Amino acid sequence: MVAEVARTPAPGAPAPVRSLTVTVLGAGYVGLVSGACLAELGHHVTVTEIDERRLGALRSGMVPIRERGLDDIVDRQVAAGLLRFEDARTVDVTKSDVVMVAVGTPSQADGRVELGHVEAAVRQIARGNPRALVVIKSTVPPGTCDRMQALARAEGGTGVRVVSNPEFLREGRAVQDFMQPDRVVIGARDAADAAIVEQLYAPLDASVLHCSPEEAELSKYAANSLLAARISFINEMSAIADRIGADITRVSSIVGSDARIGPAFLGAGLGWGGSCFPKDVHGLARVAEDLGLAAPMLTATIEANLRQRQRALGAILELVGARPDARVALLGLAFKPETDDVRESPAVWLAHELHERGIAVRATDPWALANAERVGPRVTYTLDPMRAVDGADVTVLATEWPEFVALDWPEVARRMRGDAVLDARNALPSDLLRSSGLVYRSLGRDVLGR
Ligand code: UDX
């Protein structure tokens, strides 16, 4: 828990950081976590939501997303009077030191970023407070802050300034990533505006990187695209590893032991999904295209990610063979562990592809079942992994939840009809599976079936 902003400084103590009044537009993953954490840091925060159901849930104390520590912070700061929830349509922004835009920037069909919600938010702010300091936290293409500032001024917000302050929050550890950031990035034209935004984060004592708005906007896309590229790269290496009998997890740790490379995001498997990587890599590729620039690294990152999913599907179909009544157990639906989010989930993609080929799928996930049933294919969903593997010809680990890794694999072997397991996240104890009589396959650890 970070020390709250001091209100009555002890003698000789540094002057307390001024508690700012902040309005956050958008109560999604980014807006809700950012708003709650800013309140935790001692600021007076109003988080707004346009969706009445979501607003009602928040006002009744229900937090509609699963993020470790978020419920406690929301309860604590609502009780302390530092956090409240208002209707986005009627919120008064006249007294806000900072108005933070954290609304969605979804992908259009062609991969370009949809900025309609951001534009609507900026128009609303300009009308409500012609001298507002607007902080865009949503991930937006380079140049957006400047365009939003021009839009605001055209709407009568003659004193509106727009600053870029991208977030680097990972789902499942968003509170930790907010409270212990590698760095805070502030993209501003005016030093005084930058200083106000920096005050938001003062209690964190984090390193603050100042730059122009377009440098902050591009840095966010470049960071996500590079992280996705690392994963696509190691997945490409995993295909080579399988062919030559190398264990990709050993290769990853050797490559990652180079201080210039580092071990993170070199985990080969089913590849990347979620609400950010797909949107951001496609979005940046469209930005390059619109600038008349070739961006083969970005398109290759996307293609390699799809190829890896197809490789996993091919391995499953090969293991299923020609059985007309084939059954596959799918362990995992969330796009990664520690989240209930299934957006662009490689696991849900597999469920669709298998279902479309007439293969009976029994899917399980500890958190994401409800979300998967809403958007996924009409397969059998169960909370019980053992029920999922009952009678299965092939079992696939699609999301590396610890409870799946720690399953009673000899019991799994007894319950399955077949004996094949595809470890699509290279996370399972291969020796235990083999000693249980299972045929272990993976994406880079097959080591030629040894
Ligand atoms: C990402 C960025 O990490 C975060 O900084 C940004 O703010 C939002 O996007 P998130 O989408 O929550 O966060 O997930 P992340 O933990 O980055 O994983 C993204 C995808 O990559 C997941 O599907 C995960 O399964 C996959 N992944 C991750 C791998 O396949 N291998 C790895 O080694 C790491």
Side-chain angles (χ1 to χ4, degrees):
M1 153 79 167
V2 175
E4 284 207 351
V5 174
R7 286 185 186 69
T8 48
V17 169
R18 186 163 69 88
S19 168
L20 297 178
T21 301
V22 185
T23 299
V24 178
L25 301 185
Y29 272 96
V30 174
L32 184 50
V33 170
S34 303
C37 290
L38 286 171
E40 182 85 343
L41 296 182
H43 301 295
H44 290 77
V45 181
T46 300
V47 176
T48 74
E49 177 53 60
I50 208 156
D51 176 307
E52 285 180 13
R53 252 174 0 95
R54 197 175 179 90
L55 179 62
L58 288 164
R59 279 176 160 168
S60 62
M62 272 173 53
V63 175
I65 58 173
R66 291 183 79 150
E67 278 296 339
R68 195 188 310 277
L70 183 59
D71 292 53
D72 293 346
I73 292 178
V74 169
D75 291 347
R76 185 164 52 245
Q77 297 312 330
V78 166
L82 284 175
L83 177 64
R84 61 200 185 97
F85 300 101
E86 292 289 344
D87 187 328
R89 286 169 293 234
T90 55
V91 68
D92 172 8
V93 294
T94 47
K95 297 183 183 58
S96 304
D97 296 310
V98 168
V99 185
M100 186 171 275
V101 175
V103 296
T105 53
S107 285
Q108 297 176 21
D110 63 3
R112 283 182 178 77
V113 180
E114 169 52 55
L115 289 172
H117 303 308
V118 172
E119 288 165 358
V122 168
R123 284 199 178 90
Q124 177 189 354
I125 297 165
R127 287 196 294 271
N129 178 352
R131 298 200 47 70
L133 173 54
V134 177
V135 170
I136 295 195
K137 179 131 330 256
S138 304
T139 302
V140 293
T144 300
C145 284
D146 279 355
R147 281 197 296 278
M148 290 306 109
Q149 185 162 300
L151 176 77
R153 294 191 175 179
E155 288 279 329
T158 48
V160 166
R161 293 95 68 211
V162 178
V163 169
S164 172
N165 174 222
E167 49 78 26
F168 298 90
L169 309 180
R170 278 166 291 183
E171 287 188 28
R173 44 181 302 162
V175 170
Q176 183 181 331
D177 284 347
F178 189 98
M179 291 302 203
Q180 297 159 21
D182 290 337
R183 72 303 205 201
V184 172
V185 175
I186 300 174
R189 295 256 179 267
D190 177 285
D193 293 338
I196 294 171
V197 178
E198 187 166 347
Q199 278 192 48
L200 290 174
Y201 301 94
L204 292 179
D205 202 18
S207 84
V208 180
L209 304 182
H210 288 280
C211 60
S212 70
E214 55 275 9
E215 285 160 351
E217 291 161 334
L218 179 56
S219 299
K220 167 67 185 176
Y221 277 96
N224 266 8
S225 299
L226 184 56
L227 289 167
R230 280 175 72 106
I231 295 164
S232 285
F233 176 81
I234 205 66
N235 282 342
E236 215 155 79
M237 293 303 108
S238 73
I240 298 172
D242 269 348
R243 289 292 174 87
I244 64 167
D247 179 332
I248 192 62
T249 54
R250 244 195 304 282
V251 170
S252 297
S253 58
I254 293 166
V255 169
S257 63
D258 182 319
R260 297 166 301 174
I261 298 172
F265 282 66
L266 286 178
L270 205 41
W272 41 271
S275 64
C276 295
F277 279 9
K279 171 174 73 76
D280 294 352
V281 184
H282 280 91
L284 189 55
R286 292 289 79 72
V287 167
E289 184 185 313
D290 291 347
L291 292 169
L293 298 169
M297 302 278 283
L298 297 170
T299 44
T301 295
I302 294 164
E303 287 159 7
N305 194 50
L306 180 56
R307 238 190 332 272
Q308 190 75 351
R309 296 185 183 190
Q310 288 163 340
R311 200 172 139 228
L313 177 62
I316 297 167
L317 296 178
E318 190 186 321
L319 290 168
V320 159
R323 285 196 79 109
D325 62 341
R327 294 181 220 160
V328 171
L330 194 63
L331 304 181
L333 289 158
F335 80 92
K336 67 171 186 175
E338 305 303 314
T339 181
D340 60 1
D341 197 345
V342 294
R343 287 175 288 181
E344 298 288 326
S345 166
V348 173
W349 180 90
L350 274 181
H352 270 295
E353 294 295 321
L354 292 169
H355 180 61
E356 278 174 13
R357 287 166 174 76
I359 292 171
V361 176
R362 270 198 199 155
T364 182
D365 190 286
W367 287 14
L369 222 52
N371 287 335
E373 287 195 86
R374 210 175 40 252
V375 299
R378 299 189 63 71
V379 300
T380 305
Y381 293 95
T382 174
L383 265 176
D384 178 1
M386 282 306 177
R387 183 160 172 268
V389 303
D390 263 339
D393 300 299
V394 180
T395 292
V396 179
L397 178 78
T399 310
E400 64 280 23
W401 285 99
E403 45 266 64
F404 295 155
V405 175
L407 279 179
D408 177 346
W409 287 98
E411 175 62 15
V412 170
R414 282 189 289 274
R415 289 181 178 234
M416 286 178 65
R417 180 171 72 177
D419 60 2
V421 175
L422 174 67
D423 179 5
R425 288 290 181 182
N426 295 329
L428 296 177
S430 53
D431 293 345
L432 172 60
L433 271 73
R434 288 194 177 107
S435 64
S436 305
L438 292 165
V439 172
Y440 175 82
R441 293 290 301 283
S442 66
L443 295 178
R445 293 174 77 199
D446 281 359
V447 199
L448 298 181
R450 281 201 291 267

